[in-house]
Amino acid sequence: MMASKELQPGEGATNRMLERVTAILDAVGVETLTATEIAHRTGLSKSTAHRVAQSMEAYGFLSRRDDGGYSMGRRMLSLPLQALAAPFLEALREETGETAQLWVRQGDQRLCVESLDSHHRLRITAEPGLVYPLHGSAGKILASGNLSETLGDRGWVESVEERTPGLSSVSAPVVRHGSVVGAVCLAVPVVRLAKSPGQDYGQLVIRTAEQISEAL
């Protein structure tokens, strides 16, 4: 007979926590659930479901809406976002000739999850996995505490030579259940602008962000 595996100190508690996290992720799926609904579906007590869900929100596994409901967070959406966004970003790149990117927030920074580079020799590049502070047009959207105020009537945010001379960008938010989960960014060398990144390409970037949001 094979001997049973002896648990190391603390391993039992770790396994229980992982079981709870897994159960909550399975319960939430593509829906938005309150802590009470999570407790009902998982068999956890309401206090435990609320406590674990709060911890999962803090680490980006869940996202909490203003009405108290929980949905999948940015960490869980990054890979699906990358896969869903790629064809829309490619269409944006081909239509504009410029570099099309998708950024998500990671703590107090922004993470590039997809970047399709311009075919021009003079181009702006960013490898997936690159991490920057929350500046630039995409950073402003991801860091925004009031999206309506940040976007204004335009629906996009632009940046011109704020981080690097000669570079500009325009971004629009990817939204799921009312929460910003990413930002589509078109990066353009200033020398190829007719007016400004927003005036030249803002509506195309908004359209791409909305297409990705709908695909989610």
Side-chain angles (χ1 to χ4, degrees), residues 21-96:
V21 169
T22 301
I24 290 175
L25 290 175
D26 287 344
V28 171
V30 297
E31 300 181 66
T32 299
L33 304 179
T34 65
T36 299
E37 291 170 327
I38 290 173
H40 177 72
R41 293 195 183 185
T42 61
L44 298 171
S45 68
K46 184 178 178 180
S47 61
T48 297
H50 183 68
R51 184 178 69 252
V52 177
Q54 282 187 319
S55 296
M56 292 172 69
E57 178 197 5
Y59 284 95
F61 293 105
L62 293 179
S63 176
R64 189 169 186 267
R65 298 175 58 178
D66 292 339
D67 62 6
Y70 290 95
S71 58
M72 286 295 178
R74 59 181 181 274
R75 288 187 185 275
M76 301 304 297
L77 289 171
S78 292
L79 288 177
L81 260 179
Q82 183 181 24
L84 285 171
F88 300 112
L89 293 176
E90 183 175 6
L92 178 63
R93 190 261 307 271
E94 297 305 313
E95 186 169 358
T96 63

Side-chain angles (χ1 to χ4, degrees), residues 11-182:
E11 190 173 352
T14 300
N15 288 344
R16 284 194 298 274
M17 177 56 75
L18 289 174
E19 288 173 358
R20 291 169 177 173
V21 169
T22 301
I24 290 175
L25 290 175
D26 287 344
V28 171
V30 297
E31 300 181 66
T32 299
L33 304 179
T34 65
T36 299
E37 291 170 327
I38 290 173
H40 177 72
R41 293 195 183 185
T42 61
L44 298 171
S45 68
K46 184 178 178 180
S47 61
T48 297
H50 183 68
R51 184 178 69 252
V52 177
Q54 282 187 319
S55 296
M56 292 172 69
E57 178 197 5
Y59 284 95
F61 293 105
L62 293 179
S63 176
R64 189 169 186 267
R65 298 175 58 178
D66 292 339
D67 62 6
Y70 290 95
S71 58
M72 286 295 178
R74 59 181 181 274
R75 288 187 185 275
M76 301 304 297
L77 289 171
S78 292
L79 288 177
L81 260 179
Q82 183 181 24
L84 285 171
F88 300 112
L89 293 176
E90 183 175 6
L92 178 63
R93 190 261 307 271
E94 297 305 313
E95 186 169 358
T96 63
E98 304 298 345
T99 297
Q101 305 167 340
L102 178 68
W103 296 83
V104 299
R105 182 163 182 169
Q106 184 171 290
D108 59 356
Q109 297 178 306
R110 58 186 173 111
L111 168 70
C112 180
V113 297
E114 185 62 283
S115 180
L116 298 178
D117 293 345
S118 166
H119 298 307
H120 292 289
R121 287 189 176 182
L122 176 61
R123 60 191 177 190
I124 302 170
T125 63
E127 294 292 329
L130 185 67
V131 175
Y132 278 142
L134 290 171
H135 52 41
S137 60
K140 291 175 184 177
I141 287 175
L142 296 173
S144 176
N146 187 327
L147 189 60
S148 297
E149 184 177 301
T150 300
L151 297 176
D153 296 330
R154 300 161 301 190
W156 47 259
V157 175
E158 67 178 5
S159 171
V160 180
E161 299 186 304
E162 291 182 15
R163 182 172 62 87
T164 305
L167 305 187
S168 73
S169 67
V170 55
S171 297
V174 176
V175 179
R176 182 175 185 269
H177 296 321
S179 299
V180 175
V181 296

